[in-house]
Amino acid sequence: MAIFPLFKPKPFFSAEEQKQIVDAIRHAEQQTSGEIRVYVESKNPLVNVVERAEEVFYKLKMDHTEHRNGVLIYVAVKHKEFALFGDEGIYKATGQEYWSHTAASVIAAINGNSLVNGIEKAIGMIGDALKEKFPYERTTDKNELPDEIVFGR
């Protein structure tokens, strides 16, 4: 016996919105050796959003970049949760105050506009920090991680 869903779950983003986010990642990464990934799921299966972001970060092997400068933007849509998780290289280079300020700015953008615009703002702000701390290296830089959005459940 097979079970067939009566409806297909609505995607988190339209094709155009996905392209907008991926284009923002690609633009930011053209100016840095750093890596940015976006992970979106419906609900956070853990209690603490930062712990979930950390779990996803390591699951996606984002700690395997040469300069330890990967940053994950984590969103749980139905739980209305958001977190940034930066690897040790970028975290040490920027400090806790930077992350608190960036998260607050992104949350304000999400609340004031839309989730997509908030994610795009996060990508831009993180890209600027990565550009300053880990500039693009023309002869050695390579895209170490995929740019596409990762969708959970």
Side-chain angles (χ1 to χ4, degrees), residues 29-34 67 69 129-138 140-141:
E29 288 184 358
Q30 286 175 351
Q31 303 172 59
T32 177
S33 64
H67 299 292
N69 56 3
L130 287 168
K131 177 182 175 181
E132 178 186 332
K133 305 296 183 182
F134 298 93
Y136 177 76
E137 301 167 357
R138 185 186 325 186
T140 60
D141 191 61

Side-chain angles (χ1 to χ4, degrees), residues 48 75 124 142:
N48 185 302
V75 180
K142 59 184 178 282

Side-chain angles (χ1 to χ4, degrees), residues 8-71:
K8 186 176 181 179
K10 182 181 174 202
F12 296 113
F13 305 116
S14 69
E16 182 179 306
E17 290 171 328
Q18 288 184 47
K19 182 180 181 323
Q20 181 180 343
I21 292 168
V22 171
D23 286 349
I25 293 169
R26 289 181 177 151
H27 174 75
E29 288 184 358
Q30 286 175 351
Q31 303 172 59
T32 177
S33 64
E35 297 289 331
I36 301 170
R37 299 212 67 192
V38 174
Y39 185 92
V40 180
E41 62 186 346
S42 179
K43 297 178 181 178
N44 171 6
L46 301 178
V47 174
N48 185 302
V49 67
V50 175
E51 288 176 8
R52 176 61 177 156
E54 180 180 18
E55 178 182 73
V56 170
F57 182 90
Y58 289 109
K59 178 182 165 189
L60 296 175
K61 299 181 183 199
M62 292 185 65
D63 59 323
H64 292 183
T65 61
E66 181 180 351
H67 299 292
R68 303 295 301 265
N69 56 3
V71 178

Side-chain angles (χ1 to χ4, degrees), residues 89-110:
I90 185 62
Y91 185 84
K92 286 178 183 176
T94 55
Q96 178 58 44
E97 187 175 319
Y98 166 80
W99 295 100
S100 297
H101 170 74
T102 300
S105 296
V106 172
I107 290 169
I110 290 171

Side-chain angles (χ1 to χ4, degrees), residues 73-116:
I73 300 169
Y74 171 83
V75 180
V77 178
K78 288 188 179 175
H79 283 167
K80 297 182 179 179
E81 293 180 325
F82 161 81
L84 299 173
F85 194 87
D87 205 349
E88 67 182 35
I90 185 62
Y91 185 84
K92 286 178 183 176
T94 55
Q96 178 58 44
E97 187 175 319
Y98 166 80
W99 295 100
S100 297
H101 170 74
T102 300
S105 296
V106 172
I107 290 169
I110 290 171
N111 290 335
N113 294 307
S114 73
L115 178 58
V116 173

